[in-house]
Amino acid sequence: MNSKNIKQWVLLAGICLALLSSCNKQPEKALAPGEIWPDNNGMHINAHGGGILHHNNTFYWYGEHKIEGEIGNTAQVGVHVYSSKNLYDWVDEGIALKVDEDEKSDIARGCILERPKVIFNKKTGKFVMWFHLELKDMGYDAARSGVAVAEKPEGPFTFIRSMRPNAGHWPVNVQDYHLKPVHDSIKPTYCGGKGCLPAHPDTLNLLGRDYTNGQMARDMNLFVDDDGTAYHIYSSEDNSTLHISQLTDDYLSHSGKFARFFADRYMEAPAIFKTSGGTYYLIASDCTGWAPNAARSARAKSIWGPWEELGNPSIGPDADLTFHSQSTYVLPVPGEQDKFIYMGDRWKPENPIDGRYIWLPIQLKNGYFEIEWKDNWNVNSAWKNN
């Protein structure tokens, strides 16, 4: 074979190898917000209003298990958990916390159990779950918080108790007018946004009204700071005001230290994250029930405030409706500095099992953050332009 033929064969072999490599190359994985998200069994992931725990190089996604029909808006099964190594592919790990068949239980089948979040306590070695709880057949009048504990991230979690937070404690930013006797307090209710109450919550002194029996707590989240201190963030005072409450060292109770923010702003669906520079950011929504609205954002140099509102961080189609979603959690990307993922729910109350998930990268820009719509995106490349 002459040298010309040898060169041709070498060129042809190179082309063949390139084609084979191209054929064998796996397509880049991507997240597709709003689409059906199948688990390892091919079933749409059933973990609504959820949050993520990253433990021992594994992600655990906890959320409300829904069933078909409007009855699925109540807790008929419990809290579902899935595991993943890469945030794309999720394995069904079963029900982490089951509802109770005992009608006298706080978590009896048919109660309302929402927004479960799990954190790991390094001191005790326990996995601790908190959630918003409404007692069966009471609508949204109970406004309680539930806590459960487990030895393993997959569970099973054991329900401990439910309560209204911080009974007998005043917030660190209490005002003199809160300490006055409450004469004409109104009955606790569920308020769907500004104008629901007859006056400002401070004028009504809702804080003082609930001092003895504990503060109302509905939409909630958990946040663990760099020093291991954990905080419970929740909508309180008939949804009019946001409370941030420090937990005890074992994460199982409220410490009695808490603060109230955004009085009369009706913040729901709160989630807090913190940058490497020490700035705390908050994302939340207006209080409009199942209907989507424009997201809110805020920042602070201390979790105890003062908090400064920043406006709607959403960018793109239907940004004024937060892409038809509501915030549920902000996930820091492990091993990466200042990379965070917005997690939201696209609620479908008429058939809640079909609710979709909106995950999008959060971009930090000049003291603000933005959440821009993407039809699909990859965790490894979403922040290249930061």
Side-chain angles (χ1 to χ4, degrees):
M1 184 179 292
N2 59 40
S3 60
K4 183 178 180 179
N5 288 337
I6 291 174
K7 290 180 180 179
Q8 289 176 337
W9 276 106
V10 170
L11 179 60
L12 182 61
I15 293 172
C16 289
L17 286 172
L19 288 172
L20 284 171
S21 176
S22 176
C23 290
N24 291 329
K25 186 178 180 180
Q26 295 295 318
E28 186 179 54
K29 291 183 179 294
L31 296 172
E35 300 297 324
I36 290 288
W37 197 341
D39 64 11
N40 61 308
N41 298 316
M43 302 294 293
H44 181 48
I45 291 171
N46 197 342
H48 310 267
I52 302 288
L53 168 72
H54 185 247
H55 183 75
N56 287 345
N57 298 316
T58 301
F59 298 95
Y60 295 91
W61 180 356
Y62 304 86
E64 306 160 31
H65 180 102
K66 302 292 191 182
I67 66 171
E68 291 185 356
E70 293 187 8
I71 193 175
N73 295 309
T74 62
Q76 299 296 317
V77 178
V79 177
H80 213 134
V81 58
Y82 296 81
S83 66
S84 174
K85 294 292 186 181
N86 59 13
L87 292 177
Y88 304 99
D89 307 303
W90 292 89
V91 175
D92 185 353
E93 300 287 356
I95 304 302
L97 174 68
K98 295 181 179 180
V99 294
D100 202 322
E101 299 303 327
D102 182 356
E103 289 288 319
K104 296 180 180 179
S105 170
D106 285 3
I107 58 168
R109 182 189 301 275
C111 69
I112 296 174
L113 195 163
E114 297 179 333
R115 299 182 179 273
K117 304 294 184 289
V118 173
I119 50 180
F120 176 65
N121 190 297
K122 293 181 180 179
K123 293 180 180 179
T124 65
K126 306 289 187 182
F127 298 88
V128 181
M129 177 189 294
W130 284 81
F131 48 88
H132 164 216
L133 178 67
E134 300 289 348
L135 304 178
K136 185 176 181 180
D137 299 327
M138 286 188 62
Y140 276 83
D141 289 346
R144 299 175 73 84
S145 299
V147 61
V149 67
E151 301 287 339
K152 301 184 300 181
E154 303 91 343
F157 281 77
T158 300
F159 176 67
I160 299 176
R161 66 183 175 279
S162 76
M163 80 300 290
R164 281 199 173 180
N166 297 306
H169 295 277
W170 293 110
V172 295
N173 54 355
V174 66
Q175 302 297 314
D176 288 342
Y177 50 78
H178 294 135
L179 305 177
K180 296 178 180 179
V182 180
H183 297 294
D184 299 317
S185 61
I186 65 171
K187 180 182 177 182
T189 186
Y190 178 88
C191 267
K194 196 170 180 65
C196 173
L197 291 172
H200 192 284
D202 286 342
T203 301
L204 299 170
N205 196 5
L206 304 185
L207 183 74
R209 176 197 67 186
D210 296 331
Y211 171 80
T212 301
N213 294 323
Q215 301 298 322
M216 303 175 77
R218 293 198 177 105
D219 275 15
M220 58 136 285
N221 222 312
L222 298 176
F223 172 74
V224 180
D225 213 336
D226 301 331
D227 62 359
T229 304
Y231 299 89
H232 183 206
I233 306 102
Y234 50 91
S235 300
S236 191
E237 301 177 39
D238 293 329
N239 290 358
S240 68
T241 306
L242 197 70
H243 288 193
I244 298 178
S245 179
Q246 183 174 318
L247 298 179
T248 52
D249 287 346
D250 59 9
Y251 301 169
L252 297 178
S253 305
H254 297 95
S255 68
K257 182 180 180 180
F258 74 106
R260 59 193 297 271
F261 301 102
F262 310 109
D264 203 39
R265 286 291 286 138
Y266 294 86
M267 297 280 205
E268 279 196 324
I272 287 178
F273 60 103
K274 183 183 181 183
T275 67
S276 59
T279 299
Y280 297 83
Y281 286 98
L282 168 77
I283 185 168
S285 79
D286 197 356
C287 186
T288 56
W290 297 114
N293 55 65
R296 277 93 173 274
S297 65
R299 67 185 172 195
K301 281 298 183 181
S302 167
I303 199 165
W304 299 112
W307 284 87
E308 173 192 6
E309 281 203 60
L310 303 175
N312 182 6
S314 309
I315 296 175
D318 295 317
D320 59 335
L321 297 175
T322 320
F323 323 115
H324 295 276
S325 76
Q326 185 184 42
S327 49
T328 184
Y329 193 72
V330 172
L331 172 64
V333 179
E336 301 286 348
Q337 182 172 292
D338 294 338
K339 294 182 179 180
F340 303 92
I341 297 173
Y342 163 82
M343 292 173 53
D345 286 281
R346 185 171 286 176
W347 300 110
K348 296 192 177 182
E350 70 285 353
N351 191 32
I353 195 174
D354 190 35
R356 307 297 174 85
Y357 309 106
I358 308 298
W359 289 23
L360 292 166
I362 293 176
Q363 307 287 352
L364 300 174
K365 293 189 177 181
N366 302 317
Y368 296 79
F369 68 91
E370 296 177 348
I371 305 171
E372 184 175 4
W373 176 259
K374 297 178 183 296
D375 291 331
N376 56 74
W377 61 283
N378 182 275
V379 175
N380 294 324
S381 58
W383 291 273
K384 282 186 176 179
N385 296 326
N386 262 11

